[in-house]
Structures are given as C-alpha cells and as structure tokens.
Amino acid sequence: MVLAEPLAAQSVGQGSFGRAGHGDFQRLSFTGSGSEYFGIWIVNILLTIVTLGIYSAWAKVRRNRYFYGNTVLLGRGFEYHARGGQILIGRIIVFAYLVLYNVLLTFAPFAGIALVLLFLCFVPWLVARGLRFSARVTSYRNVRFDFVGRAGGAFLAFIVGPFLAAVTLGILAPLASRWTYRYIGSNLRYGQRAFSTEPSVGVIYKSWGISAAIIVLGLLIVGFIAFLNIALFATAIESPDLLPADMQMSLVTLMVLGYILFFAIFGVAALVYRAGVRNVAWSATTFDGKHRLLSDLSRLRYTWIAISNVVVTLLTLGLMRPWAAVRMARYVNEHTGVRFEGNVGEIFSAIAQEGSAVGAEFMDIEGFDFGF
Amino acid sequence: MASDNSAFAHGEWHPPGSSRSVTSGLAEAGERLVASDETGAELAGGSLSAIEISARVGRIPRRVTFPDGSLFETDDNDAIDRFLSRKGRSGAGLVHWLERFHPRLIAFVAATILLGALIYRYALPALVEVAIAVTPPIVPQIMSASTLETMDRTLLGETKLDEARRGRIVDGFRRIAALSAAGEAAYTLNFREGGPMGPNAFALPDGTLIVTDELVELAGNDTEMIVGVLAHEIGHVEHKHSLRQIYRAAGVAALIMLIAGDIGSGAEDVLVEGGGLLALSYSRAAEAEADRHSVELMMKAGRDPTAIARFFELLETKLDDHSDTSIFSTHPGTPERRKAILELIAELRKG
C-alpha cells in the first residue's frame, strides 16, 4: 500500500488502535446498554405520539445515533449525521404518495394499478437514492461513507431478484441474495476507497439448503399432525352438527396452532437463511482490495436470539424491546470483523475523503429511508 | 503542555475530512474554543457561535465541529455539558434529561400506553367521522362506478332472470327504499349473474345495490326474503360502512406506522396482524348493524321482518353454512345472526 502522505507516529492514535496484527480479525463490539436505550426508546415513542408523528423523524436520528455511536471498531464508534428535518421531508413525501395511492386505488382501481406500475419503475431510483443517503450520513473516524450504485443495479437487486425468488418458490433466492449483496457491497465507498463483494452462489446454496430442509421437514410435521386428526377434520367438513362443543374447541385450537406453527417454520427458515447469507456475503467482501471482512454468526444462536427477542417483547407488552434490540446488536457486532493488511494506524491515517461527500447535490429530499 | 492545564475535555482531533487522529484537548481561550495537541499547539479553533456541538445521546462521544471542518471527539460528555451550561446554553438538553434511566420513565410508560389507548378509542373514531363528513358525495359515486365496472369486467355476468321475476323484486325493493332515510331516489338495484361470487347481494357506497341470480334462485318464490336482504344492504349504505371501514383501516395503519420505527419488525408484524383482527371485529359489528336495519325497515314497511332470518336459515340448510363466529371471520356466524334477529323482532314487538 502506498501511503498518500506518510504520517508521524503521534497521528496513529491511541488505545486499542495499535493492537491489530497481521492475520487477526478486529471484531466490532456494541457498547450500548438496554437500560440506557430504554429511556431513549420510551421518550421517542412518547414524543412521537404527543407530536402526532412529527417527532418520529428526530426519534429516528436519536435511535440511529445511539446504535451507530455504540457500534465500536478499533475503539471508535460510528456516527450518524442525518438531521430530523431531512428525514421528515422524506417521510412527508412518502406519506403523501401513500395517501394518493390508496385514494386512487380505492376510487379508481385501474388507475391505481397503473400507479403501481409507475411506482415499480420509480422504486429502483428511490432505493439507490435512499442507500446513498444512508451511506452519506454515516461516518467512521471523521470520514464519510458513500454509495455509488445506480437505479439499474437496484432494479436487478430489488425488483428482478425478489420476483424471480418468489415465482420459483424460493429456489432462486440465493441468486437474488447474491445480486442484492453485490449491489450494496460493491457500490459502497469509504473515503473514496471501494468495498467489493463477490459472494459465490454455490456457497449461498449450501446455506439455503438448510433452510429448505427446515421448510420441507416442518411441512411434513404439519402434514403428519393433520393426518393424525383427519377423522376430526372429516367430521367437521361433512357433518359439523355431529361435533360436540369440546371437539369444536379443539378444532379451533388445532387450527390456531397450525397457523402459528406455519409461521414459525417459515420464520425460522428465513432467519437461518439470513444469518447464513450474511456470513457468506460479508466474508466475501474486501475493502480497498485487500482488507477482508468477516461475519461468523451462528445460525442457531442468531435464530434463537431473534425469536426469543420477539417472544420476550410480546410477553412484556413491548417493554423489553430495548433490551432485545441491544442484545441483537451486541451479538451481530461481536460476530463481525475486519482483518487489516498492514499497520492499522497507517491505513487510517491515509484515508481521507476527496472534498465533502455532502456536496451540492445532497438534497434534503433524499431523506427517504428504507429499512434494510 | 501549557494548554493542557486549561483543557476541560480530552479526546481526539481529526483534520477536515481525514481519518487521521491526533490526541487533543479542548480549552476555552477568551471567546474562542480551541482544540490543541499535546504540545499545546492549536489544531483548530473558532468562536462558540461558529462551532457545532452534537446533542447528547446516551454515552456516545460528543462531536465538536470547527468552522474549518475539523472535528474534535470526546467521551467526556459531562465536561461538555458543564461547559455549555457555563455558557448559558442548555447543557445536555431537555431530551437527554428525559431519556436518562430514572424512575420517572415509569410515568412515561404509563403515559405512552394511556395516550395510545386514548388515540385508538377516541381520536381514531372521531377522525373517521370527520373524514366521512368532509368526503364529498362525488367520491362514493366515483368509487362505486369504478368498482362496478371492475366487477362487471372480471366477475359478474348479465342477468338471466326473466322480467316478471325481476319486476316483483324491484317492486318490493322500491317500497322499502322509499321508507329509508335517503328515500327511493338514493338507491338503484342491479341484477347480475354472480359467477364465482355465487348467491350474494352487496351494496356500493353510492346506493347501488347488486343482487345475483344465484341468490334469487336460492330464495325460490320467497320475494319477501330477497327484500329483507336488500333492506340489510340499504343499512350498509345508510351507515356508510364501506367508507368508514376504509378510513378506519387507513387510520390504524397510520398509527402502527407512526410508532413502528421503534418497536422492531417482529413486533410490528404482530401489531399489523392484530390490527387486521380488530378490523374484522369492526366488520362483524357492521353486519349486525345492517341486520338490525333490515328488521326495522321491514317492520316499518309492514312486511315480514323475519324474512332475513329465513334467508340465514336457508343458508344453513341449503349451503350447509354452520360457521361459528370466530375472531378470524368477517361476518358473524350464521346461526348466531339468525338468533339475534329473532330476539330483536321479539323485543321490538313487545315495545
């Protein structure tokens, strides 16, 4: 690596910064706490309600600043720079569009369908803009991220990919995942230096196989339970009058259980898949051509955390949500890392952004946010 | 290390747009705020009004951005707060004060739940009524015209009923519509072949009623029964059920969207499903209201109010519909509806 400007030792920084040796992965950590986030969270919700939703934009800023700021790599946190006003404008535009869309769909269904098609053409552009906004309002060590992806790539990654995955009942999902990760991962920049992601479809398919097996096995179990109760269902369909009240109750219970089981199967499969793909894609990512990224989430542990988080959140009527969010952030961060080639201090001393990422074309209107 | 004596906060300084970092201290120098390195040399400085200090969120480091674009970062939030308070600016800020982990958060939780419940219970229905009041009549007209057009193109076919039979039904319908609040002119009756919809009757919000051939066949010679069903549909129009339902669904969706950012996606899905179930309960209430309307209108017309109950009986025997009411259904269970109608008739006859 050719340093643009060799720097004196004092600029190398402090603390954990010098620890990185060759071949070691520097892991991220999460330094936030559930109790601290609880206060931010409840005040966010309360003020959002009191201000009839207007505060939600500032709430998002505070939430993101908390999570980014506590995401720590080499002793330094990330920063989130978006302002509430920017996000509010984006939200107002999206909201106005949704109102217009719903009104049209209700009063003139055919015009509504035309609007859906129009929107589908518009979505890739919006997604690319939204990703760029998200990247540009994120910084690490005073240098901003950037995103240079275009609408065409977004069309492939977010329209064609999911469509293909859906019509093939998930069989082509790994292909869609590859497009999505490649689009995001290879268009991301940090101080003009590029990330590059080339996840192999074959490896994603290995991970996908586990999810597919979960779905097949789960559906077999549901089918088996239904088969065991086939007499009950047959009676229910042919002569419902013959069913005594308690049998009717058990029929309803069975149906509700089946419904929950069905969602559990697909939920688990999706979570397992998500963790697996993240591992594959992140581990196939390099920064500046040589520094490697790493993700080593345990599929089982990730799924367990996600599901137990939802259960705990529901059982406590939402009150444990901050704890759950922090728990997930901590787990994901601790299983994400970077291996720097060379002296970390020198690497970072050399990274600077050319001019300001927040240029004239950085409009407030770009505050569209999509929950990726 | 001269400046270190006066430095009130220590941290790292970054040149503009660079990730290079320098150990630094932040100090006041007259009216200026200055970041200097370990030797005391000034790295950056500016008047307080030209310097941006980020708001406090939890324990994350504070950013002090100088006019030249360079950045001083420190973990020492309290020192920054003390400095800002000295300068007469709010230190940590009101929002951070509210957010700190403290017993008062229990009150915030209670207030949040209470406000949420109040909005759902009072503000939402009130907003729906306001929305209905300001909706010009042209809206349900356009809505109905386009719905009918869509349905004609996709589901419904032309009626195959003979003129005489239609005449008897239209006659009964006119008399009953004349007794409704909006009068006969507000309603038009259409006959269609139901196709995939089967035996059915429905009302569009502008007062257009549609009855399918299949329903007429099912009723056989019992014209009274069809009139009873049409009286039920008039009830839907009179109470503006479809508009109300649309506005309500939109309101619930907006409420969920409003707080969704902070509840997590799993819990959000559950909320959306729950909202759907609540909408169904609302739809069941609307059916019961329309049933009552049918009974009242039929009695007013001096016709047989049990006609619609007979219709449900027919559904039970001919179509084998014994469905119970469950939280997953749009309509109340058929046997239950029949019972409710007969009870209402008994009550009205007594009174």
Side-chain angles (χ1 to χ4, degrees):
Chain A
M1 175 187 181
V2 182
L3 286 180
E5 38 167 341
L7 289 149
Q10 103 230 5
S11 64
V12 165
Q14 51 163 193
S16 59
F17 203 21
R19 251 189 352 227
H22 282 271
D24 285 340
F25 277 102
Q26 288 290 337
R27 283 178 185 269
L28 270 68
S29 62
F30 189 75
T31 54
S33 77
S35 59
E36 195 176 45
Y37 179 50
F38 182 85
I40 295 168
W41 174 79
I42 192 72
V43 170
N44 272 351
I45 296 180
L46 185 61
L47 291 182
T48 297
I49 292 177
V50 168
T51 59
L52 302 175
I54 295 165
Y55 186 77
S56 71
W58 284 266
K60 182 189 163 91
V61 169
R62 289 190 79 80
R63 178 175 70 247
N64 276 348
R65 281 196 63 203
Y66 188 77
F67 276 89
Y68 283 46
N70 281 306
T71 296
V72 173
L73 174 67
L74 296 164
R76 297 297 189 76
F78 287 72
E79 254 292 1
Y80 183 72
H81 299 265
R83 294 189 308 274
Q86 292 173 306
I87 291 173
L88 185 67
I89 291 168
R91 289 197 167 171
I92 288 171
I93 291 170
V94 171
F95 185 73
Y97 183 85
L98 282 179
V99 169
L100 180 76
Y101 166 70
N102 276 307
V103 166
L104 262 177
L105 200 63
T106 308
F107 301 137
F110 283 108
I113 291 164
L115 212 63
V116 173
L117 292 177
L118 186 74
F119 187 58
L120 278 182
C121 300
F122 210 51
V123 159
W125 182 82
L126 277 179
V127 169
R129 284 284 171 146
L131 284 170
R132 193 168 75 159
F133 177 82
S134 300
R136 286 184 168 188
V137 294
T138 304
S139 76
Y140 176 68
R141 298 181 63 95
N142 195 33
V143 170
R144 301 244 183 172
F145 286 82
D146 196 2
F147 185 80
V148 297
R150 306 220 164 228
F155 179 70
L156 189 69
F158 295 102
I159 307 275
V160 178
F163 177 75
L164 275 183
V167 295
T168 57
L169 297 174
I171 290 166
L172 287 183
L175 200 63
S177 301
R178 178 178 140 92
W179 288 341
T180 308
Y181 269 103
R182 202 168 52 175
Y183 176 67
I184 295 176
S186 296
N187 286 310
L188 194 63
R189 300 286 181 270
Y190 174 69
Q192 306 301 320
R193 293 177 198 220
F195 286 83
S196 163
T197 314
E198 279 300 333
S200 129
V201 180
V203 186
I204 299 178
Y205 260 107
K206 274 188 199 155
S207 182
W208 173 88
I210 297 172
S211 294
I214 290 171
I215 290 175
V216 170
L217 201 69
L219 290 183
L220 280 177
I221 291 171
V222 171
F224 185 63
I225 294 172
F227 177 74
L228 286 184
N229 293 288
I230 200 150
L232 181 64
F233 285 122
T235 327
I237 292 163
E238 279 168 18
S239 43
D241 284 338
L242 294 180
L243 274 186
D246 59 327
M247 288 282 270
Q248 285 193 0
M249 261 319 286
S250 68
L251 188 72
V252 170
T253 317
L254 214 61
M255 278 164 71
V256 171
L257 273 179
Y259 186 77
I260 293 172
L261 200 62
F262 196 72
F263 272 91
I265 292 165
F266 281 93
V268 167
L271 287 166
V272 166
Y273 179 70
R274 196 194 293 170
V277 172
R278 184 185 195 269
N279 284 346
V280 174
W282 282 62
S283 302
T285 302
T286 55
F287 169 61
D288 204 15
K290 50 188 166 299
H291 315 296
R292 300 205 66 87
L293 268 62
L294 164 82
S295 168
D296 58 355
L297 298 170
S298 148
R299 294 190 191 93
L300 202 64
R301 184 109 188 94
Y302 176 83
T303 306
W304 159 248
I305 291 176
I307 290 175
S308 56
N309 271 357
V310 171
V311 171
V312 168
T313 303
L314 291 178
L315 288 183
T316 57
L317 302 174
L319 289 181
M320 288 289 269
R321 166 67 197 162
W323 169 84
V326 166
R327 179 176 174 228
M328 183 51 107
R330 185 167 292 140
Y331 182 75
V332 170
N333 280 5
E334 282 168 2
H335 289 86
T336 305
V338 195
R339 189 179 67 207
F340 291 102
E341 293 296 331
N343 184 307
V344 183
E346 286 172 12
I347 293 165
F348 276 107
S349 292
I351 296 178
Q353 60 208 22
E354 283 169 23
S356 173
V358 193
E361 54 173 340
F362 180 73
M363 296 178 296
D364 280 352
I365 230 169
E366 292 180 22
F368 302 120
D369 46 73
F370 297 92
F372 290 122
Chain B
M1 292 289 204
S3 75
D4 260 17
N5 296 330
S6 58
F8 60 86
H10 296 273
E12 297 272 306
W13 177 82
H14 296 283
S18 166
S19 65
R20 188 162 69 85
S21 68
V22 181
T23 306
S24 163
L26 195 64
E28 277 182 87
E31 284 303 295
R32 297 172 78 238
L33 194 60
V34 173
S36 25
D37 67 11
E38 283 163 323
T39 65
E42 180 176 322
L43 296 164
S47 67
L48 191 52
S49 57
I51 287 171
E52 199 188 306
I53 299 179
S54 68
R56 182 163 181 175
V57 178
R59 281 168 301 171
I60 67 166
R62 291 293 261 288
R63 277 180 294 135
V64 178
T65 313
F66 290 98
D68 66 353
S70 70
L71 174 77
F72 174 83
E73 242 184 355
T74 179
D75 281 332
D76 200 348
N77 278 303
D78 290 332
I80 300 285
D81 289 343
R82 278 194 300 274
F83 165 74
L84 287 172
S85 308
R86 269 206 308 281
K87 291 287 159 196
R89 291 217 232 154
S90 65
L94 177 66
V95 178
H96 175 71
W97 179 82
L98 290 172
E99 286 170 353
R100 279 167 63 182
F101 196 68
H102 188 275
R104 71 172 157 261
L105 291 181
I106 297 170
F108 291 176
V109 171
T112 304
I113 294 170
L114 186 70
L115 280 171
L118 284 176
I119 287 177
Y120 183 77
R121 180 72 183 77
Y122 297 106
L124 192 63
L127 273 177
V128 168
E129 293 310 315
V130 169
I132 285 181
V134 299
T135 305
I138 183 81
V139 171
Q141 278 164 25
I142 298 172
M143 201 167 128
S144 305
S146 69
T147 307
L148 187 60
E149 197 189 320
T150 313
M151 291 182 76
D152 274 341
R153 280 194 206 174
T154 53
L155 297 168
L156 304 172
E158 276 199 39
T159 180
K160 294 191 174 62
L161 293 176
D162 61 73
E163 196 102 6
R165 201 156 186 197
R166 273 188 287 163
R168 281 199 298 277
I169 296 168
V170 170
D171 188 50
F173 167 72
R174 281 213 180 115
R175 281 193 217 155
I176 203 135
L179 289 169
S180 73
E184 194 195 324
Y187 298 94
T188 43
L189 180 61
N190 295 284
F191 292 90
R192 292 283 192 280
E193 188 176 42
M197 297 192 71
N200 218 325
F202 51 92
L204 299 175
D206 69 339
T208 305
L209 304 192
I210 292 137
V211 57
T212 66
D213 293 2
E214 288 86 341
L215 185 118
V216 178
E217 302 291 349
L218 188 70
N221 285 323
D222 195 345
T223 308
E224 200 79 352
M225 183 190 291
I226 299 170
V227 174
V229 171
L230 292 174
H232 165 100
E233 297 304 333
I234 288 175
H236 278 313
V237 177
E238 208 152 273
H239 289 110
K240 299 195 159 129
H241 282 147
S242 35
L243 259 188
R244 210 164 254 142
Q245 218 148 344
I246 290 166
Y247 286 136
R248 229 187 128 74
V252 171
L255 256 184
I256 295 173
M257 268 171 63
L258 193 83
I259 52 168
D262 276 294
I263 59 169
S265 61
E268 186 186 342
D269 290 343
V270 173
L271 257 189
V272 170
E273 301 254 319
L277 287 182
L278 283 172
L280 289 180
S281 88
Y282 182 76
S283 145
R284 289 195 300 273
E287 288 304 323
E289 198 172 18
D291 284 349
R292 272 201 302 282
H293 192 269
S294 165
V295 167
E296 282 161 10
L297 208 54
M298 292 292 274
M299 283 179 111
K300 207 164 148 192
R303 304 182 79 117
D304 178 11
T306 59
I308 190 160
R310 278 211 302 284
F311 174 68
F312 290 129
E313 208 176 336
L314 202 62
L315 281 183
E316 277 176 61
T317 51
K318 280 207 180 167
L319 297 182
D320 215 12
D321 176 5
H322 297 267
S323 54
D324 272 334
T325 315
S326 79
I327 52 169
F328 301 111
S329 42
T330 55
H331 286 52
T334 307
E336 218 169 290
R337 281 173 87 175
R338 194 161 56 90
K339 220 176 111 217
I341 289 164
L342 294 177
E343 275 166 15
L344 177 69
I345 294 169
E347 205 178 295
L348 288 175
R349 286 206 168 130
K350 250 192 287 172

